Amino acid sequence: MAGVPIHETAIEPEWIDYNGHVRDAYYGLIASGACDALMDRLGLDAAYRTRTHCTLYTLEMHVHYLSEVKASDRVAVDVTVLGSDHKRLHAGFTLRRAPDGPVAATVEFMLLHVRQGDTPGSAPFPPEVASAIAALAAAAPAAGFGPGSRALRLSGGGRGG
Amino acid sequence: MAGVPIHETAIEPEWIDYNGHVRDAYYGLIASGACDALMDRLGLDAAYRTRTHCTLYTLEMHVHYLSEVKASDRVAVDVTVLGSDHKRLHAGFTLRRAPDGPVAATVEFMLLHVRQGDTPGSAPFPPEVASAIAALAAAAPAAGFGPGSRALRLSGGGRGG
């Protein structure tokens, strides 16, 4: 298990669809919650956002669905740094049925550091955040992520707002 | 505008995140609702699912985020058939701020027709559903989809359950 534990959640009743499983979009919501926890870990927390008017915007999200999650399950999420540059972070989340169940999904986020305001624009990570990303990347090597090749690439990003 | 209108929704208050916009994962939920509407249109509705024990499973979902959606917006979704084979459907959804706003996101789903039971397995579409897919593909050509190249490909699918 290559990732760093970052988030865990029970399943809310309204997440269950007509198939009796968690609806596809709610895997993304679980990963989005894990992304919030990742921001806190990297120092991009609420105090940072208030102080700097900077935050992360999601450019892309890609979910691979691998096994079902039901109402009685808990889901544990770990995070891997799949790539980064001076303003972007490519994060990989692995969702497992807790505590030792199979992988339910892998979710990749391409994230952009943005300064908000009248005309929001991308901004470089401050040094302390870049250091925190590097430390996390060292703790959670990208090689361990996913059941197959990664779907997103840094070289292809930078499109959205 | 190449797609066929399939779904429209207001924004629920709990979809708004700390940035003041719709949280990333809820774009996926809007598209998932559009996918339900698509199933109804193709004859894969609740009566079909009860009668045949067949349904669609989502193998992959890929969201490109293009512009922000706020609490006061409505979102209109249209659908394009990006590809299909005897058991899979690659659907592209375009989310716009209604009625004539910019594209907020494009969302691709790779969907597999599955017969549920003790050991769920993929199953071919029945002829009437295959015909409905073909008719929709004729009405909504894939060429009009998205701001760039598509993220998913039929040739790469078939992995999940």
Side-chain angles (χ1 to χ4, degrees):
Chain A
M1 171 159 156
V4 167
I6 194 80
H7 185 56
E8 186 166 331
T9 184
I11 302 304
E12 302 288 340
E14 67 267 26
W15 295 356
I16 302 299
D17 70 6
Y18 52 79
N19 288 334
H21 315 139
V22 170
R23 175 185 281 272
D24 46 18
Y26 287 109
Y27 290 70
L29 185 64
I30 293 170
S32 183
C35 210
D36 289 354
L38 174 63
M39 290 179 72
D40 287 348
R41 185 186 173 109
L42 297 176
L44 300 166
D45 55 11
Y48 172 89
R49 297 193 295 266
T50 301
R51 186 173 73 247
T52 64
H53 305 289
C54 290
T55 187
L56 294 184
Y57 278 19
T58 304
L59 302 179
E60 294 183 57
M61 177 175 65
H62 192 133
V63 187
H64 282 97
Y65 297 91
L66 299 166
S67 66
E68 301 158 11
V69 178
K70 296 179 178 168
S72 57
D73 292 327
R74 286 185 67 83
V75 172
V77 185
D78 60 55
V79 62
T80 305
V81 175
L82 298 175
S84 65
D85 63 15
H86 66 289
K87 63 181 182 178
R88 288 184 299 174
L89 173 60
H90 180 190
F93 298 97
T94 302
L95 281 56
R96 277 189 177 73
R97 270 183 270 162
D100 298 309
V103 174
T106 60
V107 186
E108 294 173 55
F109 280 80
M110 190 65 79
L111 301 157
L112 178 68
H113 189 242
V114 169
R115 178 165 288 113
Q116 296 189 288
D118 290 339
T119 53
S122 65
F125 292 118
E128 64 275 17
V129 173
S131 296
I133 292 171
L136 182 62
F145 180 76
S149 60
R150 292 167 234 157
L152 306 180
R153 291 188 304 172
L154 272 175
S155 58
R159 178 151 46 156
Chain B
M1 174 157 155
V4 167
I6 194 81
H7 185 56
E8 185 167 331
T9 183
I11 303 303
E12 302 287 340
E14 67 267 26
W15 294 356
I16 303 299
D17 70 6
Y18 52 80
N19 287 334
H21 316 139
V22 171
R23 175 185 281 273
D24 46 18
Y26 287 110
Y27 290 70
L29 186 63
I30 293 170
S32 183
C35 210
D36 289 355
L38 174 63
M39 291 178 71
D40 287 349
R41 184 185 173 108
L42 297 175
L44 300 166
D45 55 11
Y48 172 89
R49 297 193 295 267
T50 301
R51 187 173 72 246
T52 64
H53 305 290
C54 289
T55 187
L56 294 184
Y57 277 19
T58 304
L59 302 178
E60 293 183 58
M61 177 176 65
H62 190 133
V63 187
H64 283 97
Y65 297 92
L66 298 167
S67 67
E68 301 157 13
V69 178
K70 296 179 179 168
S72 58
D73 292 326
R74 288 185 66 82
V75 173
V77 185
D78 59 53
V79 62
T80 304
V81 174
L82 298 175
S84 65
D85 64 14
H86 67 288
K87 61 181 182 178
R88 287 184 298 174
L89 173 60
H90 180 191
F93 297 98
T94 301
L95 281 56
R96 276 189 178 73
R97 272 183 269 162
D100 298 308
V103 174
T106 59
V107 186
E108 294 173 54
F109 280 80
M110 190 65 79
L111 301 157
L112 178 68
H113 189 242
V114 169
R115 179 165 287 113
Q116 296 190 289
D118 290 341
T119 54
S122 65
F125 292 118
E128 64 276 16
V129 173
S131 295
I133 292 171
L136 182 63
F145 182 74
S149 60
R150 291 166 235 160
L152 306 181
R153 291 189 304 174
L154 273 176
S155 58
R159 178 149 50 153

